[in-house]
Amino acid sequence: MESIRNIYCVGRNYVLHAAELGNEVPKSPMIFSKPTHALIQARGQVIDLPGDRGEIHYETEFVIQIAKPYETGMKAEDVVDRFALGIDFTLRDVQSELKKKGHPWLLAKGFPNSAVITEFREFPGTEVCKARSFSLIKNGEEVQRGSLSDMIFDLDTIISFCADHFGIGPGDLIYTGTPAGVGAVKNGDELQLKWDGEILGHCSIHLSERIEGAVQYE
């Protein structure tokens, strides 16, 4: 497959998630990015995460892949070819300290293996996706469930905003935000990412004292 270029992420794109963390609902898309070294595909393997920097929270997300150069006025159906599910892992204690200081979130969001991705599927269109749901199962229990219909900023708005402010093109990924229900992972947790009840990816968690680096997406 073509190489991944940029990884954009949307923060606070579900009202209930903003509320559970005590954050205001944004009036325009809140975008941050992750380095490509953060990307790892969930294939049933053990994924190493840092265990010495405070709590790590899972944030399950619907992910789109950009396939074509963007032109003003284009819709998601014009530029997106595939979708996947992902987890935006966040060093929550680190993020809280960064927010207090007014610093960027990169240290809390960009560490190796912090951008989990499932296998990709053909994008069937926004309306089809809005009628379905995605979920995260942790140790056999559903902990998150979301739908595109509940997003504050829809796919068209997110794509247009990213294009206007950063530029987007083939190979870019956009993590579109997480619903309520985020929480900490612990050593040995088993995670499954489901789309409309079907498992698209799964992995288990190992909290390590030192991370050697991410496994590149193939």
Side-chain angles (χ1 to χ4, degrees):
M1 68 173 269
E2 63 276 1
S3 61
I4 302 300
R5 297 177 62 201
N6 298 296
I7 304 172
Y8 297 121
C9 305
V10 185
R12 305 177 192 173
N13 201 24
Y14 289 76
V15 172
L16 293 181
H17 171 59
E20 73 179 346
L21 296 184
N23 295 318
E24 294 183 359
V25 175
K27 292 180 170 51
S28 63
M30 179 182 293
I31 307 297
F32 60 93
S33 64
K34 288 176 179 271
T36 53
H37 292 290
L39 195 66
I40 184 169
Q41 189 177 18
R43 298 172 174 161
Q45 80 277 42
V46 175
I47 292 179
D48 284 321
L49 298 174
D52 57 353
R53 303 178 213 171
E55 285 194 344
I56 297 179
H57 282 200
Y58 53 79
E59 300 188 12
T60 309
E61 314 205 4
F62 183 86
V63 184
I64 54 175
Q65 178 175 279
I66 304 299
K68 301 177 182 178
Y70 177 83
E71 296 180 7
T72 301
M74 280 185 166
K75 303 294 185 182
E77 284 79 4
D78 299 322
V79 295
V80 175
D81 63 342
R82 301 193 298 174
F83 79 94
L85 302 182
I87 301 176
D88 163 23
F89 279 120
T90 303
L91 286 162
R92 190 68 73 201
D93 296 333
V94 174
Q95 185 188 39
S96 295
E97 289 302 311
L98 293 171
K99 288 165 66 175
K100 289 178 184 177
K101 297 174 182 178
H103 291 178
W105 295 355
L106 186 58
L107 286 174
K109 292 285 193 177
F111 54 94
N113 299 343
S114 64
V116 171
I117 195 83
T118 68
E119 64 179 78
F120 283 92
R121 294 290 177 86
E122 182 179 353
F123 181 62
T126 301
E127 293 305 313
V128 172
C129 291
K130 286 171 67 175
R132 299 177 182 177
S133 63
F134 59 92
S135 59
L136 176 67
I137 310 301
K138 182 171 72 120
N139 301 327
E141 178 183 356
E142 182 179 292
V143 291
Q144 279 191 287
R145 176 174 289 271
S147 171
L148 272 64
S149 61
D150 296 326
M151 294 197 307
I152 298 170
F153 305 106
D154 63 17
L155 295 184
D156 293 344
T157 301
I158 293 167
I159 291 169
S160 175
F161 187 91
C162 289
D164 289 345
H165 291 272
F166 314 111
I168 58 172
D172 290 345
L173 299 182
I174 303 178
Y175 282 60
T176 61
T178 192
V182 302
V185 290
K186 296 181 180 179
N187 208 29
D189 278 349
E190 299 283 343
L191 305 179
Q192 296 177 326
L193 290 154
K194 288 187 175 182
W195 171 249
D196 207 30
E198 178 186 0
I199 298 173
L200 296 190
H202 63 105
C203 63
S204 58
I205 301 301
H206 175 251
L207 299 181
S208 174
E209 292 301 311
R210 185 170 182 269
I211 303 300
E212 296 297 335
V215 178
Q216 294 299 309
Y217 188 94
E218 297 178 0

